[in-house]
Amino acid sequence: MAFDISRRFMLTGAVGTGFATAACATNGASTVAEEAAFPPEAVSFDPYLLGPKKGVALLSRNENPYGPSKSALKMIEYAAKKGAYYASREAVTTLMSMIAERNGVEPEQVVITTGSGEALSAIALIYGPKGPIVAPRLFWDTTALYAAKLGMATIERIPLTAEMEIDLAGIEAKVSDKTGLVQLCNPNNPTGVVTPGETIRASVKRMAAKTTVLVDEAYIELADDPEGTSCISLLKEGHDVIISRTFSKIYGMAGIRVGYTISSAETAEKIRNTAMSWSPGTSYAGAIGAYNDFAFLEYSKNKVVEGREMVLETLNVLGLTALPSGTNFVYFKSGKEANVVQKAMMDKNISVRGQYMDYSEWTRVSMGKIEDVARFCKALPEVLGA
Ligand SMILES: Cc1ncc(COP(=O)(O)O)c(C=O)c1O
């Protein structure tokens, strides 16, 4: 293996030492005092801690409520029992190799992180200081904003087209060798729109001749033609491209926290050296269990497609504009203030997203469980007074 993750384990040692010091400071406390501070009922499990409150249809976030798969759970349970230990190097390299094999790249081109968010944050920190991060006006901007808040990046947002698509020509016109990074999300969030593979690849190829292009493919498995849509072939042709993906969406493992990037080995090393954390053994084990569970992936995608069709049919009957979606959410123009719609839905225990930027009349609804999507479809005409 051409890389070394020992740096992370050295870091582990440093963090561990700090924690040990803090823990020692409390060692003198009496058992009685500790019991008073942590009575048994205080540590009893709160059933709402890790999901929607009872009765709430959670359609404001893009998690897959049908996950994790049984194949993942089996491995997570095994790994949890070994929770006294740090994840082994073999766990990391096994997952890297599985991802590499499916995508036709070398394992050292794969970086596994604590959710793809960690890799995306690292990328923003690496490329932000070089020049602006050029991106569509609406994209999943959390990690670019993270670097911006630290003074490590600026974001140059290019308006969407009139059809709410990513304006690739507009973005290309802004890109030069002074650009820090181009960040695209395909399919995009929050619009759900898929930029066709041939279109995005032609544009990314031209831009990558000038600067690094990051394509966040968090939802790619939910597009009609994931392989035909992906930009991964550009990477294999040697273009300066980073692809990020996640186990948080179709795999239904958002709380397990595993994501990854695929890039050149050189870029991978930079990302690995900048990422601040590492996933627990349960995460690697769960991801290894889930990665090739194609039956679960098909089941989940079918549920998402079923939900999407229900929502699109409802919007169609109401005569509302909805964007075509290749994701597990639909962005539609309700004609009413998004935050008002959100509040009225919440009054019915249905959680949808509020306003994004100045898109005041657009609402994003995600595909939760089918019965929850059905509740949304029933409530929408009432909420809109239609
Ligand atoms: C487009 C996109 N990319 C990345 C992420 C980060 O997900 P995670 O850190 O769980 O992999 C999200 C989360 O919602 C997202 O929507």
Side-chain angles (χ1 to χ4, degrees), residues 275-304:
M276 289 181 69
S277 184
W278 57 91
S279 298
T282 43
S283 305
Y284 293 114
I288 289 167
Y291 190 59
N292 288 326
D293 187 343
F294 298 109
F296 174 77
L297 297 180
E298 193 186 344
Y299 173 81
S300 296
K301 189 163 179 173
N302 286 343
K303 288 284 180 197
V304 166

Side-chain angles (χ1 to χ4, degrees), residues 68 71-81 253 256 282-283 285-287:
S71 50
L73 288 174
K74 215 166 128 189
M75 290 288 283
I76 290 167
E77 190 184 355
Y78 162 79
K81 287 182 183 155
M253 291 171 53
I256 308 297
T282 43
S283 305

Side-chain angles (χ1 to χ4, degrees), residues 115-117 120 140 185 189 216 218-219 246 248-249 257:
S116 61
L120 295 172
W140 194 70
C185 188
N189 182 10
D216 176 350
Y219 300 95
T246 183
S248 297
K249 308 304 173 185
R257 310 305 298 133

Side-chain angles (χ1 to χ4, degrees), residues 62 114-118 120 139-140 143 185 187-189 216-219 244-249 253-254 257-260 329 364:
N62 304 329
T114 313
S116 61
E118 189 194 16
L120 295 172
F139 74 115
W140 194 70
T143 55
C185 188
N188 201 10
N189 182 10
D216 176 350
E217 297 186 343
Y219 300 95
S244 71
R245 302 225 181 121
T246 183
F247 283 83
S248 297
K249 308 304 173 185
M253 291 171 53
R257 310 305 298 133
V258 198
Y260 58 96
F329 48 88
R364 194 192 74 180

